[in-house]
Amino acid sequence: MKWDCNKPTTSVDFMDLTITIEKDRIVTTLFEKDLNLYLYIPPFSSHPRGVFTGTISGQILRIRRLGTYKSDADSRIKEFFSRLLARGHLRENLIPLFSKAEENATAYLL
């Protein structure tokens, strides 16, 4: 067995989180691998509609739960929206799904 020792640091990536110590507080944000291709379900997939709706709801809830700062979560949700647009989804189809998912996440996290 080989042990690698690193210099002490104030930030570490663990699973899907980046955990940082800022002054006397633990701060978390979403960790995403550099090579992630974000190949979400395309708009003309044969998946049932609920699968795509669940993907959006789940991802928004995940972002809201894991992030310490609302501003960070807001920017990550905007990135998620942009990635779905890049996969070919239409803005007018995404907006109601995102609105409902935000509503559900807010109610769940209260």
Side-chain angles (χ1 to χ4, degrees), residues 19-85:
I19 304 167
T20 306
I21 298 174
E22 290 181 1
K23 296 181 183 174
D24 60 347
R25 185 174 182 192
I26 294 175
V27 175
T28 59
T29 188
L30 196 64
F31 171 73
E32 296 172 325
K33 292 182 179 179
D34 293 334
L35 296 178
N36 189 341
L37 299 177
Y38 307 103
L39 299 176
Y40 299 110
I41 298 171
F44 301 109
S45 170
S46 295
H47 287 80
R49 180 79 175 146
V51 173
F52 183 64
T53 303
T55 299
I56 292 173
S57 293
Q59 184 71 346
I60 288 177
L61 179 60
R62 178 174 165 261
I63 291 168
R64 292 280 178 217
R65 287 179 81 185
L66 294 182
T68 299
Y69 298 119
K70 184 181 182 316
S71 59
D72 178 53
D74 291 344
S75 68
R76 291 191 178 266
I77 288 170
K78 286 178 187 173
E79 284 176 342
F80 177 46
F81 189 89
S82 296
R83 289 172 182 150
L84 291 175
L85 290 175

